[in-house]
């Protein structure tokens, strides 16, 4: 029969009082890791949506700059923006397209520009992350040059 005394006995019994501490640590850390993951997904969604809205604004401005009339530029820009957003899989809760087609009124031979501004509200509420708003409004603006020698109706 061996009797252990001193530091060996203390060392052997020290580990016995920590039972369950890993479970408590996991219960504390797991929700924090899930929140960090959801936050990364929300940030990624905002960044990729912003890039896709930039591309839609570019497409809409180009379509508007090719148009010959102010009303045609408005409708072409709105249609191009909707097509581009749909093709890229962006679902806006609210979307608006503003077109400044004043460059179409410039006389032939002078350079004019058409500017399109797209505003899109992207939903984040499906992430169920506390502290993250339910939606984020993103705005993108792009200016396209109107061909100086193309005929226009003003």
């Amino acid at each position: 029969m061996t009797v252990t005394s001193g530091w060996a006995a203390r060392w052997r019994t020290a580990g016995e009082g920590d039972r369950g501490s890993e479970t408590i640590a996991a219960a504390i850390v797991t929700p924090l890791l899930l929140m960090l993951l959801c936050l990364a997904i929300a940030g990624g969604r905002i960044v990729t949506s912003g890039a896709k809205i930039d591309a839609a604004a570019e497409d809409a401005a180009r379509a508007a700059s090719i148009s010959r009339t102010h009303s045609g530029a408005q409708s072409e820009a709105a249609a191009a923006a909707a097509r581009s957003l749909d093709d890229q899989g962006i679902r806006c809760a609210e979307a608006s397209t503003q077109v400044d087609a004043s460059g179409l009124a410039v006389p032939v031979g002078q350079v004019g520009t058409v500017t399109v501004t797209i505003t899109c509200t992207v939903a984040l509420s499906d992430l169920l992350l506390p502290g993250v708003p339910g939606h984020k409004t993103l705005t993108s603006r792009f200016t396209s040059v109107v061909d100086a020698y193309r005929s226009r109706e003003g």
Side-chain angles (χ1 to χ4, degrees):
M1 173 158 121
T2 327
V3 177
T4 315
S5 63
W7 65 271
R10 279 183 260 146
W11 181 74
R12 186 177 304 144
T13 58
E16 294 174 6
D18 289 338
R19 293 183 192 260
S21 63
E22 291 86 11
T23 305
I24 293 171
I28 293 170
V29 171
T30 301
L32 295 175
L33 290 176
L34 288 174
M35 286 177 53
L36 184 63
L37 177 67
C38 287
L39 192 60
I41 291 171
R45 186 177 294 178
I46 290 170
V47 169
T48 56
S49 296
K52 291 176 180 181
I53 292 168
D54 288 344
E58 184 177 343
D59 293 344
R62 181 67 184 137
S65 71
I66 294 172
S67 183
R68 295 179 192 268
T69 64
H70 189 282
S71 62
Q74 296 277 350
S75 62
E76 287 294 322
R83 258 191 326 269
S84 182
L85 290 173
D86 189 47
D87 289 347
Q88 296 183 55
I90 298 293
R91 306 285 177 255
C92 299
E94 294 178 25
S96 68
T97 304
Q98 286 96 24
V99 180
D100 176 14
S102 59
L104 294 175
V106 174
V108 174
Q110 295 180 2
V111 177
T113 60
V114 174
T115 302
V116 174
T117 304
I118 296 179
T119 304
C120 176
T121 303
V122 179
L124 299 173
S125 58
D126 58 338
L127 297 177
L128 301 173
L129 184 63
V132 173
H135 59 277
K136 175 82 172 156
T137 301
L138 303 171
T139 302
S140 182
R141 177 177 296 159
F142 193 81
T143 301
S144 184
V145 176
V146 177
D147 184 8
Y149 298 103
R150 183 177 173 134
S151 65
R152 314 174 187 135
E153 295 179 17

